[in-house]
Amino acid sequence: MADGGAGQREWRVTGMDCGACAAKVRGAVERLPGVEDVDVALMAERLRLTLNESQTSPERIEKAVRGVGFGIAPKGAKPEKPKGGFVLPDGAFPGAEDTPEPEEEGPAQPEEAAAPSWHRTSKGRLVIGTGVLLATAWTSRLLFPAEFAHWAFVLATLIGLVPVARRAFAMTRAGMPFTIEMLMTIAAGGALVIGEPEEAALVVFLFAVGELLEGVSAGKARDSIRALSKLVPKTARLEVGGKTLEVPAEKLRVGQVVQVRPGDRVPCDGEVIEGTSGVDESPVTGESVPSLKEPGAEVFAGSINAEALLRVRVTKAAEDNTIARIVRLVAEAESARAPTERFIDRFSRVYMPAVVGAALLVAVAPPLAFGLEWGEWIYRALALLLIGCPCALVISVPASITSALSTGARNGLLMKGGAVIEAAARTTHVAFDKTGTLTHGKPRVTDVAALTGDADDMLSLAAGVESGASHPLGQAICAEADRRGVHAAATGGRALPGKGAEASIDGATVCVGSPRLAAERGALTDGLRSRVAALEAEGKTVVIVLRDDVPQGLVALRDEPRADAADAVAQLRGLGISSVMLTGDNARTAQAIADGLGIEHRAELMPEDKVTAIRDLTTDARVMMIGDGINDAPALAAAHVGVAMGSGTDVALETADAAILRNRVTDAAGQIRLARAAMANIRQNIAIALGLKAVFLVTTVLGITGLWIAILADTGATVLVTMNALRLLFFRPAGPAEVTAPFTDPTSDATRDSASAPT
């Protein structure tokens, strides 16, 4: 626990291209006094820590990071180009060069300079330089005496090894002697000492190639995340005083009005105030079918206006729009490390010293114990050192997690870190809320039956009582009355919590409430009870209209299941996952909905009852709870994985462990597929990293393979692991059944209403 003088600080660190780089940055600062809670995010290029400035200044933190070869700049400042040969390629981070003046960080930056070709980067130039020297040395062997060729190989080795050795000794001074740079320096230097300059030069060249490929691979992974932020246009057409001005999108303020022309990207989260058009939301939600937008509809920043001019009122500032929050959450998710990743980090700290110890034994034990040749066994020990770097093993998990997070974000599936992905992959049971999750959350009137008089007159009484209601059932009754053109003036309206509402109309007290309220007031006759039971058996919710406690009629409403709800349950069943519906609705209505979807159910549950149900399930199962993210918050928190439905709402993005942006129930199965694919990819990566090292460990000790093969076992494994992780960028979470599934317009889902809908 930091003391009262400590506070959180954040920097952007440039030049990291593998898990070992992140470990070096962490190691450089965590030993400093007054430093706690060090968090280094590789893909987000972020260093965050708790710092007591009375013990260590921010400048000392920056000096420590620069001392191990990385660039560092405070959050919001221009990124610093790192110095040294073995760092991320120039231009792989935005604004590092070719930018005339620094720009403040924000959701909408000026267009970033494209990353230069590999041969223009510092790593690329080093690869070319060492390659030319190596080729020259080989050529000299054919044209000149052997002694000349020998010194040509020595020169090629030394030129390529100098920047590596500089980094190695910098790491040692920072208290990290066991690094790939130190192992490389010892191995190449030792090869020169025992008279193997040709192999030493080849090792240095292959190491440079591997470092270049690692940097390029890391840049590709970062680009997949940064591409999200580029969805928002840089400028917006702002209406000011009857004129239209082009202004930076990042400067838009809540309440301003912008024009979005056909073909333009929407520059902000907002509400349509004029115009009707189809809007392609696939860049944000992944939904391929354009969504119809009319006045009152919400639009997301980054979506594409397809048909007609729209006037949009800004509802969220640039830093709070959907795209900005997604990018922020994906970046933050990198810090939520999976248990597997934490285990590998602990393992790698033991692995490298153990291999170094084994190499030392290989170098001295055979010659001392059995009188074998020193040169041969020192050579094998040097090769063994190169296998000791855990880079491939360390990057195996975060590379897969980052790719999975990026793929999920592009497909409307958010998971907040590796821990959530690992928990989702182990899911055995999925619990669904009903209202707003399996159903649209917007009930509609299906039956209006008068017991005395005219049905429209009875409906007008009900609408008068419910006038101005915020409850979805009351709003549905008022909407039906408006459609029929009937209404009654009411006074003294008040809610009857959990039962209904009442008001005074024409001097009489009119109540609109549940059958339970009618029973309490002695108005639920046997005949009326039978009619209520019949309607509830059809999955409908029934309210009874009373005037002075005399029943006037009843209104039945039904919240229809989403078109893909049954398919979602079927897909989960195909994945070997059981499903259950948890609802506060009456048992008959719940039974009717559940039977139609082919799902188990538990009905008449209060919020605390849902928590109890989830806890009962979690005793012997791994449970994912899916709800609307507001009134299901306790149950979401009680599950192993809480998933919120909602098209980019604050609650959907920020309260649960994960979110489904497209309001498609089938995405629950897609989320589990993606999580399982990520964990399978991680297992493959670990097998590649450990398998290659195990094979070459044996062959090196036996003298079958030498130095240059050993370096391929290290850098080659790192590149293979990274490239394998990047395959997840092309993974499609949707199941085959979804290809022909009917499209449900996400704008028709009353996500805002579902917050207060009864469940």
Side-chain angles (χ1 to χ4, degrees):
M1 179 70 70
D3 62 34
Q8 192 175 79
R9 298 294 298 264
E10 184 174 323
W11 290 265
R12 182 170 179 180
V13 177
T14 46
M16 299 186 295
D17 56 16
C18 70
C21 294
K24 290 166 187 173
V25 173
R26 185 182 300 110
V29 300
E30 66 184 1
R31 293 176 174 83
L32 297 176
V35 174
E36 297 180 356
D37 305 324
V38 178
D39 172 33
V40 182
L42 171 64
M43 293 303 169
E45 297 181 318
R46 184 188 67 239
L47 166 63
R48 181 183 295 158
L49 50 80
T50 301
L51 179 65
N52 187 332
E53 296 188 28
S54 65
Q55 300 182 50
T56 297
S57 67
E59 291 74 19
R60 188 176 175 187
I61 297 290
E62 295 171 6
K63 181 179 179 181
V65 173
R66 292 190 185 101
V68 292
F70 300 98
I72 183 171
K75 179 182 179 181
K78 178 183 177 181
E80 179 179 275
K81 179 182 176 181
K83 299 177 181 180
F86 293 104
V87 291
L88 190 66
D90 300 343
F93 47 87
E97 60 180 0
D98 301 327
T99 305
E101 66 268 300
E103 296 286 344
E104 291 185 359
E105 282 193 347
Q109 290 276 18
E111 194 67 35
E112 297 172 4
S117 302
W118 67 270
H119 60 273
R120 295 179 56 196
T121 68
S122 56
K123 284 185 176 181
R125 289 191 294 268
L126 188 59
V127 167
I128 294 172
T130 54
V132 169
L133 287 170
L134 188 60
T136 302
W138 273 327
T139 303
S140 68
R141 171 184 288 177
L142 303 175
L143 303 177
F144 301 101
E147 185 68 19
F148 184 89
H150 172 88
W151 288 107
F153 282 118
V154 170
L155 181 63
T157 301
L158 292 176
I159 291 176
L161 194 59
V162 166
V164 183
R166 185 184 299 118
R167 288 281 297 276
F169 289 113
M171 297 292 179
T172 301
R173 287 194 300 270
M176 293 175 286
F178 296 108
T179 62
I180 182 58
E181 287 84 2
M182 180 58 74
L183 300 183
M184 181 68 196
T185 300
I186 295 173
L192 291 179
V193 171
I194 64 175
E196 296 288 348
E198 180 178 355
E199 194 151 2
L202 179 59
V203 165
V204 171
F205 171 71
L206 291 175
F207 181 76
V209 171
E211 289 282 284
L212 174 64
L213 293 177
E214 286 179 11
V216 172
S217 298
K220 294 291 185 184
R222 286 191 178 103
D223 288 345
S224 67
I225 296 177
R226 290 179 180 161
L228 292 170
S229 62
K230 295 180 181 179
L231 293 175
V232 180
K234 303 299 180 184
T235 61
R237 293 171 54 83
L238 177 65
E239 293 185 359
V240 180
K243 298 180 180 180
T244 303
L245 303 178
E246 192 165 281
V247 301
E250 63 180 0
K251 302 298 184 183
L252 292 176
R253 298 191 302 274
V254 175
Q256 292 181 323
V257 176
V258 297
Q259 292 182 2
V260 186
R261 298 171 297 187
D264 286 352
R265 287 187 182 272
V266 179
C268 60
D269 278 12
E271 178 184 351
V272 176
I273 59 174
E274 185 177 324
T276 301
S277 179
V279 174
D280 178 7
E281 296 181 330
S282 59
V284 183
T285 67
E287 184 56 69
S288 59
V289 180
S291 174
L292 181 65
K293 299 296 183 181
E294 299 175 314
E298 293 182 349
V299 290
F300 305 132
S303 54
I304 303 169
N305 183 18
E307 299 169 358
L309 179 71
L310 293 176
R311 295 179 66 235
V312 177
R313 179 183 292 110
V314 180
T315 57
K316 291 179 182 176
E319 63 271 16
D320 293 324
N321 67 40
T322 301
I323 291 293
R325 292 202 309 275
I326 290 174
V327 172
R328 186 163 60 246
L329 287 169
V330 172
E332 291 291 335
E334 190 181 347
S335 298
R337 300 194 299 167
T340 302
E341 183 178 358
R342 292 194 293 268
F343 169 77
I344 287 178
D345 277 352
R346 293 193 299 269
F347 174 77
S348 65
R349 293 175 186 177
V350 178
Y351 171 79
M352 185 181 289
V355 172
V356 172
L360 184 61
L361 286 176
V362 168
V364 301
L368 291 177
F370 305 106
L372 300 179
E373 184 180 349
W374 279 95
E376 173 65 22
W377 286 95
I378 289 175
Y379 176 84
R380 295 185 187 185
L382 294 175
L384 191 60
L385 281 178
L386 297 179
I387 302 174
C389 178
C391 287
L393 187 61
V394 171
I395 197 65
S396 60
V397 178
S400 298
I401 294 297
T402 301
S403 295
L405 292 172
S406 179
T407 295
R410 291 201 315 273
N411 288 275
L413 307 172
L414 286 184
M415 288 182 281
K416 297 182 181 179
V420 175
I421 289 178
E422 189 163 333
R426 299 167 60 192
T427 296
T428 60
H429 288 68
V430 173
F432 289 100
D433 169 47
K434 180 178 76 69
T435 304
T437 302
L438 290 175
T439 66
H440 290 290
K442 191 171 184 178
R444 296 175 177 84
V445 173
T446 59
D447 300 85
V448 179
L451 300 178
T452 59
D454 183 70
D456 283 352
D457 291 340
M458 186 274 297
L459 182 62
S460 70
L461 294 176
V465 173
E466 297 287 2
S467 178
S470 60
H471 195 286
L473 294 179
Q475 292 176 342
I477 291 172
C478 292
E480 179 65 16
D482 289 341
R483 189 184 69 81
R484 298 191 183 196
V486 297
H487 63 277
T491 59
R494 68 186 186 95
L496 305 174
K499 300 176 182 179
E502 69 178 13
S504 178
I505 300 178
D506 295 333
T509 300
V510 179
C511 297
V512 179
S514 64
R516 182 174 58 182
L517 176 64
E520 289 178 358
R521 300 196 174 186
L524 190 61
T525 63
D526 291 340
L528 188 55
R529 182 179 286 106
S530 298
R531 297 184 66 172
V532 168
L535 290 168
E536 288 181 344
E538 297 174 10
K540 299 173 182 178
T541 299
V542 181
V543 297
I544 298 175
V545 181
L546 306 175
R547 180 162 59 188
D548 292 333
D549 293 340
V550 176
Q552 304 297 302
L554 52 83
V555 179
L557 308 95
R558 177 168 168 139
D559 184 11
E560 296 296 331
R562 296 180 188 272
D564 64 338
D567 186 24
V569 173
Q571 287 190 34
L572 290 170
R573 189 181 302 116
L575 293 172
I577 296 172
S578 301
S579 302
V580 61
M581 180 180 75
L582 306 179
T583 178
D585 215 335
N586 67 79
R588 281 191 291 265
T589 298
Q591 180 73 52
I593 296 290
D595 288 348
L597 300 179
I599 188 175
E600 297 180 8
H601 73 282
R602 299 186 188 183
E604 299 180 357
L605 301 178
M606 299 296 286
E608 57 271 21
D609 297 327
K610 290 186 180 181
V611 173
T612 301
I614 291 294
R615 287 176 177 165
D616 289 344
L617 288 172
T618 56
T619 55
D620 57 0
R622 304 294 298 184
V623 180
M624 173 184 286
M625 170 68 188
I626 304 178
D628 61 21
I630 299 176
N631 52 4
D632 293 309
L636 293 174
H640 292 108
V641 181
V643 180
M645 297 280 286
S647 298
T649 62
D650 290 335
V651 171
L653 288 174
E654 295 170 10
T655 60
D657 301 312
I660 295 175
L661 300 184
R662 295 186 292 191
N663 275 346
R664 297 200 324 189
V665 191
T666 49
D667 279 349
Q671 203 148 39
I672 293 173
R673 286 192 198 94
L674 177 59
R676 289 182 176 180
M679 295 309 298
N681 191 275
I682 288 171
R683 288 190 289 270
Q684 294 165 7
N685 281 348
I686 293 174
I688 291 171
L690 291 180
L692 282 177
K693 289 185 182 295
V695 169
F696 288 108
L697 185 70
V698 174
T699 57
T700 298
V701 172
L702 295 178
I704 299 173
T705 55
L707 284 174
W708 70 275
I709 290 292
I711 196 63
L712 282 182
D714 175 60
T715 59
T718 302
V719 172
L720 283 176
V721 162
T722 305
M723 298 303 292
N724 185 53
L726 292 178
R727 290 192 308 112
L728 285 172
L729 296 175
F730 306 99
F731 182 78
R732 295 294 174 262
E738 294 178 67
V739 176
T740 56
F743 168 68
T744 301
D745 182 1
T747 62
S748 67
D749 301 330
T751 55
R752 290 171 294 177
D753 291 343
S754 67
S756 57
T759 56

